[in-house]
Amino acid sequence: MGMVVEAEAYAGPEDRASHARFGPRSRATTMFGAPGRAYVYGVYGMHTCLNVVTGPAGLAAAILIRSVVPIEGIGSMRAARLARAIATRRMAAANPHAEHARIACLPAALVAAGPANLAAAFDVQLADDGLDLLDPASPLRLEAGSLDGTTRAIIAAARIGVAYAGPGWVDRPWRFVATQAPTPSPDKLA
DNA sequence: AGTTGGATGGTCT
DNA sequence: GACCATCCAACTG
């Protein structure tokens, strides 16, 4: 359990950065469906990323969850990170002990920071694509909440890793970061 | 502190 | 056959 502190908005087919641009018959089929569902995709052969379809159905808009600050169950998140690393990275599989140590030393704020790390921490798999995140019985859920006292401000910035999108889409400030201490997604904050 | 390149496989042209 | 909505380790200076 944790609090979402970083997310990116992706619009429908007109958004040159969105997977929806490949149409409803692509891997992004779920984006065109009902809102409140999980759109999960794989990238770089070893990572999965979690989106929330915002709908309404047919619009194909979704939110990429980039970072979560753990509130509860950090131990399971670290364990899931380790399991995912061993399953995907040969280097980690070669010496799991070193990988275990690395993850164990990770600051709590970084355990679920970054879209692929977050997916690993919550054990989000490709098979979870289409999951109803609003169903109380779902193993993976999205619940409404309020920002806690640690949030200082919410910054809007350009989306990450979408250089291929044309002008007008690359710089669109659709990335939102709830600035905390320490800052999430240490890679690129801008 | 910032930059570069390797891992690794499904998806799209 | 090229390209990734990424992460990490190994460089440079």
Side-chain angles (χ1 to χ4, degrees):
Chain A
M1 209 269 281
M3 178 177 65
V4 177
V5 293
E6 182 182 3
E8 282 175 1
Y10 286 87
E14 74 278 7
D15 182 356
R16 303 307 292 162
S18 176
H19 288 173
R21 73 189 187 280
F22 296 120
R25 303 269 307 168
S26 68
R27 77 177 140 173
T29 303
T30 310
M31 284 186 73
F32 290 81
R37 312 294 267 255
Y39 164 47
V40 182
Y41 68 89
V43 71
Y44 296 113
M46 55 176 85
H47 299 302
T48 61
C49 296
L50 171 68
N51 296 254
V52 182
V53 178
T54 56
L59 197 69
I63 301 287
L64 169 68
I65 310 297
R66 289 195 61 91
S67 290
V68 163
V69 170
I71 294 176
E72 200 179 291
I74 304 181
S76 343
M77 295 186 198
R78 292 188 197 274
R81 282 283 305 270
L82 177 62
R84 183 68 60 97
I86 290 176
T88 56
R89 282 182 49 213
R90 289 198 61 172
M91 294 287 286
N95 42 354
H97 197 270
E99 187 66 14
H100 172 82
R102 192 186 71 83
I103 294 177
C105 292
L106 225 49
L110 297 185
V111 171
N117 288 333
L118 166 129
F122 284 82
D123 194 29
V124 178
Q125 308 176 25
L126 287 177
D128 293 327
D129 183 61
L131 222 56
D132 186 357
L133 299 173
L134 302 182
D135 181 358
S138 172
L140 187 64
R141 294 188 304 280
L142 181 70
E143 296 177 359
S146 49
L147 293 172
D148 63 17
T150 66
T151 301
R152 312 219 160 246
I154 296 183
I155 308 276
R159 294 174 292 183
I160 290 178
V162 296
Y164 55 84
W169 296 106
V170 184
D171 299 323
R172 199 163 292 226
W174 281 357
R175 171 168 172 255
F176 302 94
V177 183
T179 59
Q180 311 255 313
T183 58
S185 194
D187 285 18
K188 313 161 183 179
L189 196 66

